[in-house]
PDB file of all heavy atoms in Angstrom:
ATOM      1  N   THR B  30      88.008 128.658 144.610  1.00 62.00           N
ATOM      2  CA  THR B  30      87.417 128.399 143.382  1.00 62.00           C
ATOM      3  C   THR B  30      87.306 127.062 142.981  1.00 62.00           C
ATOM      4  O   THR B  30      88.201 126.258 143.363  1.00 62.00           O
ATOM      5  CB  THR B  30      88.160 129.283 142.341  1.00 62.00           C
ATOM      6  OG1 THR B  30      89.500 128.766 142.368  1.00 62.00           O
ATOM      7  CG2 THR B  30      88.172 130.665 142.467  1.00 62.00           C
ATOM      8  N   THR B  31      86.253 126.586 142.439  1.00 68.00           N
ATOM      9  CA  THR B  31      86.077 125.204 141.973  1.00 68.00           C
ATOM     10  C   THR B  31      86.621 125.094 140.579  1.00 68.00           C
ATOM     11  O   THR B  31      86.042 125.476 139.618  1.00 68.00           O
ATOM     12  CB  THR B  31      84.593 124.788 142.164  1.00 68.00           C
ATOM     13  OG1 THR B  31      83.877 125.849 141.510  1.00 68.00           O
ATOM     14  CG2 THR B  31      84.235 124.464 143.445  1.00 68.00           C
ATOM     15  N   VAL B  32      87.887 124.598 140.521  1.00 68.00           N
ATOM     16  CA  VAL B  32      88.479 124.422 139.230  1.00 68.00           C
ATOM     17  C   VAL B  32      88.936 122.936 139.056  1.00 68.00           C
ATOM     18  O   VAL B  32      89.390 122.361 140.026  1.00 68.00           O
ATOM     19  CB  VAL B  32      89.781 125.259 139.129  1.00 68.00           C
ATOM     20  CG1 VAL B  32      90.400 125.039 137.816  1.00 68.00           C
ATOM     21  CG2 VAL B  32      89.422 126.727 139.246  1.00 68.00           C
ATOM     22  N   SER B  33      88.546 122.349 137.960  1.00 67.00           N
ATOM     23  CA  SER B  33      88.889 120.932 137.760  1.00 67.00           C
ATOM     24  C   SER B  33      90.410 120.807 137.435  1.00 67.00           C
ATOM     25  O   SER B  33      90.987 121.618 136.722  1.00 67.00           O
ATOM     26  CB  SER B  33      88.137 120.448 136.548  1.00 67.00           C
ATOM     27  OG  SER B  33      88.506 119.162 136.179  1.00 67.00           O
ATOM     28  N   HIS B  34      90.975 119.777 138.002  1.00 68.00           N
ATOM     29  CA  HIS B  34      92.362 119.547 137.734  1.00 68.00           C
ATOM     30  C   HIS B  34      92.772 118.258 136.949  1.00 68.00           C
ATOM     31  O   HIS B  34      93.846 117.880 136.860  1.00 68.00           O
ATOM     32  CB  HIS B  34      93.149 119.467 139.113  1.00 68.00           C
ATOM     33  CG  HIS B  34      93.040 120.716 139.887  1.00 68.00           C
ATOM     34  ND1 HIS B  34      93.770 121.868 139.514  1.00 68.00           N
ATOM     35  CD2 HIS B  34      92.345 121.145 140.943  1.00 68.00           C
ATOM     36  CE1 HIS B  34      93.533 122.908 140.293  1.00 68.00           C
ATOM     37  NE2 HIS B  34      92.691 122.459 141.196  1.00 68.00           N
ATOM     38  N   THR B  35      91.669 117.739 136.406  1.00 67.00           N
ATOM     39  CA  THR B  35      91.916 116.523 135.521  1.00 67.00           C
ATOM     40  C   THR B  35      92.395 117.041 134.125  1.00 67.00           C
ATOM     41  O   THR B  35      92.303 118.176 133.806  1.00 67.00           O
ATOM     42  CB  THR B  35      90.620 115.690 135.249  1.00 67.00           C
ATOM     43  OG1 THR B  35      89.616 116.639 134.785  1.00 67.00           O
ATOM     44  CG2 THR B  35      90.268 115.078 136.635  1.00 67.00           C
ATOM     45  N   LEU B  36      92.893 116.070 133.304  1.00 64.00           N
ATOM     46  CA  LEU B  36      93.453 116.356 132.020  1.00 64.00           C
ATOM     47  C   LEU B  36      92.268 116.428 130.990  1.00 64.00           C
ATOM     48  O   LEU B  36      92.267 115.707 130.030  1.00 64.00           O
ATOM     49  CB  LEU B  36      94.496 115.294 131.596  1.00 64.00           C
ATOM     50  CG  LEU B  36      95.834 115.455 132.253  1.00 64.00           C
ATOM     51  CD1 LEU B  36      96.659 114.239 131.942  1.00 64.00           C
ATOM     52  CD2 LEU B  36      96.578 116.668 131.921  1.00 64.00           C
ATOM     53  N   GLU B  37      91.452 117.443 131.118  1.00 62.00           N
ATOM     54  CA  GLU B  37      90.447 117.692 130.154  1.00 62.00           C
ATOM     55  C   GLU B  37      91.068 118.460 128.919  1.00 62.00           C
ATOM     56  O   GLU B  37      92.053 119.113 129.121  1.00 62.00           O
ATOM     57  CB  GLU B  37      89.254 118.531 130.672  1.00 62.00           C
ATOM     58  CG  GLU B  37      88.572 117.809 131.794  1.00 62.00           C
ATOM     59  CD  GLU B  37      87.492 118.789 132.370  1.00 62.00           C
ATOM     60  OE1 GLU B  37      87.294 119.799 131.888  1.00 62.00           O
ATOM     61  OE2 GLU B  37      86.867 118.400 133.402  1.00 62.00           O
ATOM     62  N   THR B  38      90.368 118.496 127.876  1.00 59.00           N
ATOM     63  CA  THR B  38      90.886 119.274 126.707  1.00 59.00           C
ATOM     64  C   THR B  38      91.069 120.732 127.062  1.00 59.00           C
ATOM     65  O   THR B  38      92.032 121.339 126.574  1.00 59.00           O
ATOM     66  CB  THR B  38      89.811 119.198 125.498  1.00 59.00           C
ATOM     67  OG1 THR B  38      89.415 117.837 125.513  1.00 59.00           O
ATOM     68  CG2 THR B  38      90.559 119.435 124.241  1.00 59.00           C
ATOM     69  N   GLY B  39      90.239 121.291 127.831  1.00 65.00           N
ATOM     70  CA  GLY B  39      90.271 122.679 128.162  1.00 65.00           C
ATOM     71  C   GLY B  39      91.398 123.031 129.112  1.00 65.00           C
ATOM     72  O   GLY B  39      91.874 124.222 129.186  1.00 65.00           O
ATOM     73  N   ASN B  40      91.879 121.968 129.892  1.00 67.00           N
ATOM     74  CA  ASN B  40      92.846 122.286 130.933  1.00 67.00           C
ATOM     75  C   ASN B  40      94.245 122.048 130.459  1.00 67.00           C
ATOM     76  O   ASN B  40      95.261 122.679 131.009  1.00 67.00           O
ATOM     77  CB  ASN B  40      92.678 121.272 132.104  1.00 67.00           C
ATOM     78  CG  ASN B  40      91.443 121.720 132.924  1.00 67.00           C
ATOM     79  OD1 ASN B  40      90.920 122.777 132.707  1.00 67.00           O
ATOM     80  ND2 ASN B  40      91.025 120.835 133.851  1.00 67.00           N
ATOM     81  N   VAL B  41      94.506 121.242 129.446  1.00 67.00           N
ATOM     82  CA  VAL B  41      95.921 120.931 129.070  1.00 67.00           C
ATOM     83  C   VAL B  41      96.479 122.111 128.258  1.00 67.00           C
ATOM     84  O   VAL B  41      95.853 122.590 127.365  1.00 67.00           O
ATOM     85  CB  VAL B  41      96.018 119.628 128.224  1.00 67.00           C
ATOM     86  CG1 VAL B  41      97.370 119.319 127.752  1.00 67.00           C
ATOM     87  CG2 VAL B  41      95.333 118.488 128.941  1.00 67.00           C
ATOM     88  N   PRO B  42      97.668 122.559 128.528  1.00 68.00           N
ATOM     89  CA  PRO B  42      98.250 123.713 127.822  1.00 68.00           C
ATOM     90  C   PRO B  42      98.567 123.366 126.420  1.00 68.00           C
ATOM     91  O   PRO B  42      98.812 122.222 126.070  1.00 68.00           O
ATOM     92  CB  PRO B  42      99.512 124.065 128.581  1.00 68.00           C
ATOM     93  CG  PRO B  42      99.786 122.913 129.430  1.00 68.00           C
ATOM     94  CD  PRO B  42      98.558 122.189 129.673  1.00 68.00           C
ATOM     95  N   ASP B  43      98.534 124.415 125.533  1.00 68.00           N
ATOM     96  CA  ASP B  43      98.688 124.171 124.042  1.00 68.00           C
ATOM     97  C   ASP B  43      99.961 123.400 123.704  1.00 68.00           C
ATOM     98  O   ASP B  43      99.876 122.448 122.917  1.00 68.00           O
ATOM     99  CB  ASP B  43      98.850 125.586 123.469  1.00 68.00           C
ATOM    100  CG  ASP B  43      97.778 125.781 122.364  1.00 68.00           C
ATOM    101  OD1 ASP B  43      97.261 124.696 121.898  1.00 68.00           O
ATOM    102  OD2 ASP B  43      97.496 126.854 121.898  1.00 68.00           O
ATOM    103  N   PRO B  44     101.139 123.736 124.192  1.00 67.00           N
ATOM    104  CA  PRO B  44     102.349 123.057 123.742  1.00 67.00           C
ATOM    105  C   PRO B  44     102.283 121.503 123.987  1.00 67.00           C
ATOM    106  O   PRO B  44     102.703 120.715 123.245  1.00 67.00           O
ATOM    107  CB  PRO B  44     103.468 123.651 124.556  1.00 67.00           C
ATOM    108  CG  PRO B  44     102.932 124.939 125.007  1.00 67.00           C
ATOM    109  CD  PRO B  44     101.447 124.798 125.148  1.00 67.00           C
ATOM    110  N   LEU B  45     101.636 121.115 125.101  1.00 66.00           N
ATOM    111  CA  LEU B  45     101.524 119.718 125.472  1.00 66.00           C
ATOM    112  C   LEU B  45     100.693 118.935 124.497  1.00 66.00           C
ATOM    113  O   LEU B  45     100.908 117.863 124.064  1.00 66.00           O
ATOM    114  CB  LEU B  45     100.987 119.501 126.829  1.00 66.00           C
ATOM    115  CG  LEU B  45     102.078 119.533 127.930  1.00 66.00           C
ATOM    116  CD1 LEU B  45     101.364 119.214 129.273  1.00 66.00           C
ATOM    117  CD2 LEU B  45     103.121 118.554 127.754  1.00 66.00           C
ATOM    118  N   ILE B  46      99.568 119.645 124.051  1.00 62.00           N
ATOM    119  CA  ILE B  46      98.713 118.929 123.069  1.00 62.00           C
ATOM    120  C   ILE B  46      99.434 118.695 121.796  1.00 62.00           C
ATOM    121  O   ILE B  46      99.180 117.637 121.187  1.00 62.00           O
ATOM    122  CB  ILE B  46      97.416 119.809 122.928  1.00 62.00           C
ATOM    123  CG1 ILE B  46      96.692 119.924 124.142  1.00 62.00           C
ATOM    124  CG2 ILE B  46      96.529 119.223 121.777  1.00 62.00           C
ATOM    125  CD1 ILE B  46      95.204 119.759 124.151  1.00 62.00           C
TER     126      ILE B  46
END
Side-chain angles (χ1 to χ4, degrees):
Chain B
T30 55
T31 42
V32 176
S33 174
H34 294 288
T35 52
L36 285 171
E37 295 174 8
T38 320
N40 286 350
V41 182
D43 234 345
L45 272 183
I46 296 226

